[in-house]
Amino acid sequence: MKILFLEDRPSRQIQFLPHGEKDVEKLSALEGVFMPKSKDCRDIIGQINQASYIFDTQTELIIVHKSSLITEGLQYLSEFCEQNEVKLICFSGGISQLIYTNEGFEFMNMNSVDFYSERLIPFIERFVAGESETLLELASDNFKLSYLLTARQLIGSIELEQDGDAKFNLQEKLNAISKVLNLEFEVKRENLERINSEVKKIIIQA
Amino acid sequence: MARNKYDFIKEILESKKISPAQRERVLLLTKEEVKKDGALGKELEERVKKLEEKIKTESSSTAKNILQHNPQYISKYLSSKFRENNPLKWTTHVWDEKKYELIDTFITELNADKDYSEIFRYNRDLYNLINYFIYQPKIELDQNNIPKFGWPNLHDMKFGWQYPNSLIIDWCKANFDNKETDIKYPFQYELPEELRPKKPIKGKMISTFENVVDVFKTEIQFRDNYLYRELKKRTNAINDYKFIGIDDFKNLDFYTYAPGFLKAIDTILSEVKRNETEKVIQFSHKICGDELIIEITHLSSYPTRVLNTSNLSQFLGGGMNAIAGNTFSLCDFSVVTKFNTSQNKKQNGELMITYEGSEGEVKGNEVNVISQLKLIDCDNEPNGFTYKFKFYL
């Protein structure tokens, strides 16, 4: 098993996946994906919340409905993922902003509607085939370009920002983007020309 | 001048200068004292009892300013109301399914849930925040027709589901109610220019109701890396101290009134900065069943203030009082260290400042603990001065 997929409200899958029930069947039949149903799913979530679930050592990605986890469960899951370099996707209706980090392990938080998009099944297929590089592929086709453009904007904002707190927040965001992009150079003011050249490269390729 | 023991006690008890905790202590000592006085003691005991009853009656008039320490209620309220399936959940969750046909049905369900009113007895800031975000608090307008007051921690946030008026409800009636196509959800509502905060809130400009909801969510819950980032931001600003263990706070999610705990951390950092010789601060947390314990230890630092074992409250200075007030009913608060006692002894112990049954008194914007503190012996050798917070999950 490569992917453990925990959705405690299967009706949501039918509602949001572009082809409803057909997509759910396809998802369940994918090789390498373990998507337990109803009671089995709730049992596993319950064990995670009690910090007692034993994960399959072959697991490379865990997808879970975030609201089903309590503090202890999320901590247990995060620790397992960090120690074993397992990727983690949390989705929920309570998440309105996409959050992605790759510090320690790859982790993404996204809204249920954005998660159950037309990109989900192709992403899982690529992941199982070992062709996926980052979880961000699930969020956007042009994540690199988006991040580069955001970085450019942040560099400008940091220079203009007077408030210490806000400056710190902006700098933290820029540092996180630098880690996500994993370029040969650090994303900062001094490398603005190199950032521009990366942007051009992507636009020309498109 | 007091004529006898009884008059003297009466003068003390009637003095406005002593706190309820000190008054309680005097009564306790008096009871012990009168026992020594035999027959006369019996008579005195009766008179003290009457005095005690009189004080109780008087204090009931100030009861509205008294808070009960009940972190279990607050934690349960926040985690169940905003996570489990009930109307309040839909004040913060994207409406990913059409649960309601009419906005009025949703608002009626919200207003029918009166459980939040209980929070008034436990934590006023959280009560006010929920009131502004969901319900209809009393409104006062300035000369420009803008509400004078906003959320307790973010005064420029002057918007909620029913505050300052029914703007969002009216908008939903036109854009959401009974719509099959071109439906718009409440979170898409754009705030009128005059109700948008002029400056960014938590790093973002607020223009839609979704932005308002996002800020509210971080006021009632430490989500994702919020606590970690806030700790990092604060400790980065103090260059000459070493902070350890902060990385362990990544992804620590739990419900509480976040500004209260962050204010307590600010006070702790101001306190530790006073000690210029010991410069290592350790942050740690552990989850034991339904409890989350967060400890902040100023390593190798021990109190110079003497612990009067007959009157533990004397140990509390301004900083410690502020921490207890800011975290009142959010978590139990104690300090663990090697104390210098009034008997000239060193004692390893945990001084419980707020715990089940504690009471606080609201004075302006502050909450002062008025119950007696408790000292518990501690077997382990403390490695410094630890601020300990026990949250209930």
Side-chain angles (χ1 to χ4, degrees):
Chain A
M1 181 231 298
K2 275 200 161 188
I3 301 177
L4 173 62
F5 193 143
L6 299 169
E7 166 61 282
D8 59 343
R9 277 175 53 201
S11 60
R12 180 166 39 193
Q13 292 182 325
I14 300 169
Q15 188 189 353
F16 294 137
L17 279 166
H19 306 290
E21 230 161 315
K22 217 170 142 190
D23 278 347
V24 178
E25 278 168 27
K26 196 171 175 186
L27 208 49
S28 315
L30 286 176
E31 205 178 321
V33 178
F34 176 50
M35 192 167 68
K37 294 269 163 70
S38 49
K39 189 180 174 297
D40 291 342
C41 179
R42 289 197 299 274
D43 282 351
I44 294 177
I45 289 171
Q47 286 175 49
I48 292 174
N49 281 333
Q50 285 169 7
S52 62
Y53 183 69
I54 309 292
F55 292 96
D56 185 320
T57 51
Q58 302 297 309
T59 310
E60 292 177 20
L61 168 65
I62 298 171
I63 299 172
V64 62
H65 174 215
K66 193 175 184 189
S67 308
S68 67
L69 298 173
I70 60 170
T71 304
E72 190 170 16
L74 189 62
Q75 279 284 292
Y76 180 65
L77 204 52
S78 303
E79 275 165 25
F80 169 78
C81 290
E82 181 153 20
Q83 283 160 14
N84 298 282
E85 291 180 16
V86 171
K87 298 168 194 242
L88 176 62
I89 297 173
C90 290
F91 61 91
S92 161
I95 298 168
S96 45
Q97 285 173 308
L98 182 124
I99 293 173
Y100 172 84
T101 62
N102 59 351
E103 293 171 41
F105 66 106
E106 257 196 282
F107 169 66
M108 190 154 77
N109 248 344
M110 61 195 303
N111 180 265
S112 316
V113 181
D114 300 330
F115 172 71
Y116 284 117
S117 71
E118 71 283 355
R119 274 192 290 273
L120 180 62
I121 293 178
F123 167 78
I124 288 183
E125 285 172 334
R126 278 201 309 279
F127 190 92
V128 173
E131 292 163 2
S132 158
E133 282 177 30
T134 163
L135 297 181
L136 283 166
E137 294 164 16
L138 177 60
S140 161
D141 296 330
N142 288 317
F143 74 89
K144 263 190 191 159
L145 181 62
S146 318
Y147 271 114
L148 283 165
L149 294 174
T150 311
R152 228 163 48 169
Q153 210 174 5
L154 282 171
I155 288 169
S157 307
I158 290 167
E159 278 189 352
L160 295 172
E161 186 56 65
Q162 301 289 316
D163 180 72
D165 254 20
K167 214 178 178 93
F168 175 85
N169 286 338
L170 294 171
Q171 188 59 52
E172 281 287 290
K173 275 185 193 163
L174 189 64
N175 295 345
I177 288 179
S178 189
K179 280 179 188 152
V180 171
L181 286 169
N182 201 18
L183 298 169
E184 284 169 3
F185 55 89
E186 199 184 332
V187 179
K188 57 181 181 181
R189 176 83 185 87
E190 292 75 3
N191 292 329
L192 202 53
E193 276 311 306
R194 299 177 79 175
I195 296 170
N196 286 339
S197 127
E198 288 291 323
V199 170
K200 273 183 206 157
K201 244 192 265 173
I202 295 175
I203 293 174
I204 290 165
Q205 276 168 9
Chain B
M1 196 176 166
R3 282 166 300 162
N4 55 38
K5 229 189 267 186
Y6 174 72
D7 282 342
F8 180 58
I9 293 163
K10 198 176 163 208
E11 273 175 24
I12 296 176
L13 291 173
E14 286 176 350
S15 163
K16 300 266 184 265
K17 288 180 185 163
I18 65 168
S19 70
Q22 286 167 325
R23 190 166 283 134
E24 206 178 304
R25 180 80 196 145
V26 172
L27 283 168
L28 209 72
L29 291 171
T30 307
K31 277 183 186 167
E32 281 170 24
E33 187 61 26
V34 294
K35 273 180 200 160
K36 296 177 197 162
D37 288 351
L40 177 64
K42 275 224 157 47
E43 190 198 322
L44 278 179
E45 201 175 343
E46 280 303 309
R47 293 173 74 180
V48 169
K49 228 185 230 173
K50 277 185 192 159
L51 207 50
E52 198 174 359
E53 277 161 18
K54 191 182 159 206
I55 289 164
K56 269 186 191 160
T57 321
E58 280 170 3
S59 59
S60 69
S61 63
T62 56
K64 62 174 183 179
N65 289 328
I66 303 297
L67 299 182
Q68 310 295 320
H69 179 67
N70 196 345
Q72 287 96 332
Y73 183 88
I74 284 188
S75 169
K76 184 89 191 128
Y77 176 88
L78 294 175
S79 61
S80 61
K81 297 286 183 186
F82 293 99
R83 187 172 58 192
E84 289 161 17
N85 223 3
N86 73 66
L88 264 75
K89 172 180 170 172
W90 300 106
T91 61
T92 57
H93 269 60
V94 175
W95 291 25
D96 54 8
E97 57 191 90
K98 203 169 180 200
K99 265 191 81 68
Y100 298 93
E101 287 300 319
L102 302 169
I103 187 71
D104 274 347
T105 319
F106 174 59
I107 298 291
T108 307
E109 282 190 21
L110 287 183
N111 292 342
D113 188 332
K114 305 284 184 205
D115 290 349
Y116 84 102
S117 58
E118 185 86 344
I119 297 174
F120 186 80
R121 294 171 51 217
Y122 307 139
N123 186 306
R124 293 285 159 86
D125 282 351
L126 179 62
Y127 169 83
N128 286 325
L129 171 69
I130 292 172
N131 210 5
Y132 277 105
F133 179 66
I134 299 177
Y135 300 103
Q136 302 159 324
K138 202 175 134 194
I139 180 167
E140 263 187 69
L141 300 174
D142 65 13
Q143 66 273 26
N144 301 317
N145 260 358
I146 307 292
K148 273 188 187 170
F149 306 108
W151 297 6
N153 178 50
L154 301 163
H155 306 300
D156 290 341
M157 294 291 282
K158 297 176 176 178
F159 207 83
W161 281 94
Q162 302 180 73
Y163 185 80
N165 43 41
S166 60
L167 275 175
I168 193 166
I169 299 172
D170 297 340
W171 180 86
C172 287
K173 283 180 180 165
N175 294 284
F176 171 78
D177 282 7
N178 292 318
K179 284 236 174 188
E180 289 300 328
T181 55
D182 197 24
I183 183 168
K184 289 197 173 92
Y185 290 94
F187 289 14
Q188 291 172 270
Y189 173 76
E190 291 196 7
L191 267 58
E193 208 59 53
E194 65 275 16
L195 289 175
R196 295 179 189 183
K198 302 284 173 277
K199 289 181 182 168
I201 301 287
K202 301 193 180 183
K204 268 189 95 170
M205 291 308 287
I206 306 298
S207 58
T208 64
F209 191 55
E210 183 173 8
N211 298 147
V212 175
V213 171
D214 283 343
V215 176
F216 175 76
K217 285 194 285 193
T218 60
E219 293 281 277
I220 59 157
Q221 187 186 14
F222 284 112
R223 303 161 62 84
D224 309 314
N225 282 336
Y226 181 42
L227 179 54
Y228 162 72
R229 279 204 317 272
E230 289 297 314
L231 292 178
K232 219 174 141 194
K233 182 167 43 179
R234 283 162 168 77
T235 52
N236 273 6
I238 309 172
N239 298 323
D240 49 341
Y241 282 71
K242 188 178 173 194
F243 295 92
I244 49 181
I246 289 179
D247 280 354
D248 296 339
F249 284 76
K250 283 181 184 170
N251 281 324
L252 182 63
D253 267 47
F254 61 100
Y255 284 91
T256 191
Y257 179 58
F261 187 52
L262 291 176
K263 276 183 197 159
I265 288 172
D266 286 335
T267 310
I268 292 172
L269 293 176
S270 316
E271 293 278 300
V272 299
K273 275 198 288 187
R274 290 184 188 176
N275 182 337
E276 295 192 346
T277 49
E278 301 306 332
K279 297 195 165 187
V280 186
I281 321 294
Q282 179 179 278
F283 286 76
S284 67
H285 71 86
K286 61 181 172 195
I287 296 171
C288 312
D290 293 340
E291 295 169 357
L292 164 69
I293 294 167
I294 294 180
E295 292 185 336
I296 302 170
T297 304
H298 190 179
L299 294 177
S300 307
S301 171
Y302 299 94
T304 46
R305 180 175 289 191
V306 172
L307 180 72
N308 181 351
T309 47
S310 306
N311 189 355
L312 298 171
S313 299
Q314 281 180 356
F315 190 78
L316 299 188
M320 208 85 83
N321 257 319
I323 297 166
N326 286 322
T327 57
F328 201 84
S329 275
L330 304 182
C331 55
D332 295 339
F333 168 49
S334 60
V335 289
V336 183
T337 192
K338 188 193 286 287
F339 292 98
N340 293 314
T341 70
S342 42
Q343 287 82 35
N344 239 346
K345 279 186 194 160
K346 297 275 182 202
Q347 184 176 349
N348 296 340
E350 177 171 0
L351 183 63
M352 310 287 293
I353 298 165
T354 51
Y355 51 90
E356 193 184 350
S358 292
E359 286 189 331
E361 187 178 17
V362 180
K363 278 196 173 166
N365 289 328
E366 289 173 7
V367 175
N368 295 325
V369 176
I370 54 173
S371 311
Q372 284 295 322
L373 313 191
K374 279 200 291 197
L375 183 65
I376 300 170
D377 278 339
C378 169
D379 296 334
N380 302 333
E381 185 70 21
N383 54 353
F385 191 89
T386 298
Y387 299 86
K388 182 175 171 184
F389 302 94
K390 191 202 280 180
F391 290 89
Y392 296 86
L393 301 175

